Amino acid sequence: MPDKKNLRVVIDTNLLISSAIVKNSPPDKLVRLWLKRSFILLMSDEQLKEILDVSKREKLKSRQFLFSERINELLEGIEIISEVVKPLSGKDLSIRSRDPKDDYLLGTALGGKADYLITGDEDLLVLNGNLSLGNLKIITAKDFLKLI
């Protein structure tokens, strides 16, 4: 395993949004570790757009008083300390998710030479260990927190 501070990680959008909603949850702990630069967060333009779109949903803003503040902190962190990578296009992916909407995360992880893709999505988790992933591991936030 590479030096932990040099780990290259893609975090599923759902987990990033969850981190702003539920304080002290595994996704929140994950984001706090990243903000302390415990690993390198990889981000694609497509994922950033998705985070921005989801964060503007009225139902999320009304769920928690501090959501806007926490999502802004996340977005500022992404802008300042994430590494924007060029994802592999769909035609260049050697492996696909059961849900085609998740393929952009695979493309980001593989294009950015990520060590880990962290998700709670079973359509991605079932791919872990597939030889087409190379060195990429697909695991849950709880499992990643145990490693780091």
Side-chain angles (χ1 to χ4, degrees):
M1 178 189 304
D3 174 32
K4 289 180 181 176
K5 286 196 179 266
N6 292 322
L7 286 177
R8 299 172 63 76
V9 176
V10 173
I11 302 174
D12 192 328
T13 303
N14 292 332
L15 295 179
L16 292 171
I17 297 295
S18 293
S19 75
I21 296 171
V22 185
K23 198 168 186 162
N24 296 318
S25 64
D28 182 49
K29 291 175 183 174
L30 194 60
V31 167
R32 298 281 158 225
L33 282 170
W34 161 63
L35 289 171
K36 291 178 184 173
R37 299 181 186 205
S38 297
F39 57 87
I40 300 164
L41 179 67
L42 305 178
M43 182 69 48
S44 67
D45 288 336
E46 184 177 354
Q47 186 177 20
L48 181 56
K49 182 184 179 319
E50 182 179 35
I51 294 167
L52 289 168
D53 290 346
V54 171
S55 69
K56 292 176 184 173
R57 292 182 184 161
E58 199 56 44
K59 74 177 190 176
L60 288 177
K61 289 181 181 179
S62 64
R63 272 189 88 175
Q64 184 186 67
F65 176 71
L66 294 176
F67 176 78
S68 293
E69 181 180 316
R70 297 189 75 211
I71 200 72
N72 286 337
E73 177 186 16
L74 174 67
L75 291 168
E76 286 174 16
I78 288 171
E79 186 177 321
I80 295 168
I81 59 174
S82 71
E83 181 179 324
V84 178
V85 298
K86 182 176 180 183
L88 291 181
S89 68
K91 65 178 174 56
D92 293 329
L93 284 177
S94 57
I95 187 170
R96 297 192 183 273
S97 170
R98 297 182 301 201
D99 182 353
K101 291 183 282 185
D102 294 330
D103 284 347
Y104 83 95
L105 287 170
L106 285 171
T108 300
L110 293 169
K113 297 181 177 25
D115 298 298
Y116 290 93
L117 169 54
I118 304 171
T119 185
D121 188 330
E122 199 56 42
D123 290 327
L124 290 168
L125 290 168
V126 299
L127 301 175
N128 192 42
N130 187 301
L131 295 177
S132 296
L133 294 174
N135 293 327
L136 176 66
K137 307 280 185 280
I138 302 175
I139 63 174
T140 65
K142 286 181 181 179
D143 288 339
F144 186 77
L145 289 169
K146 290 175 191 172
L147 291 174
I148 202 159

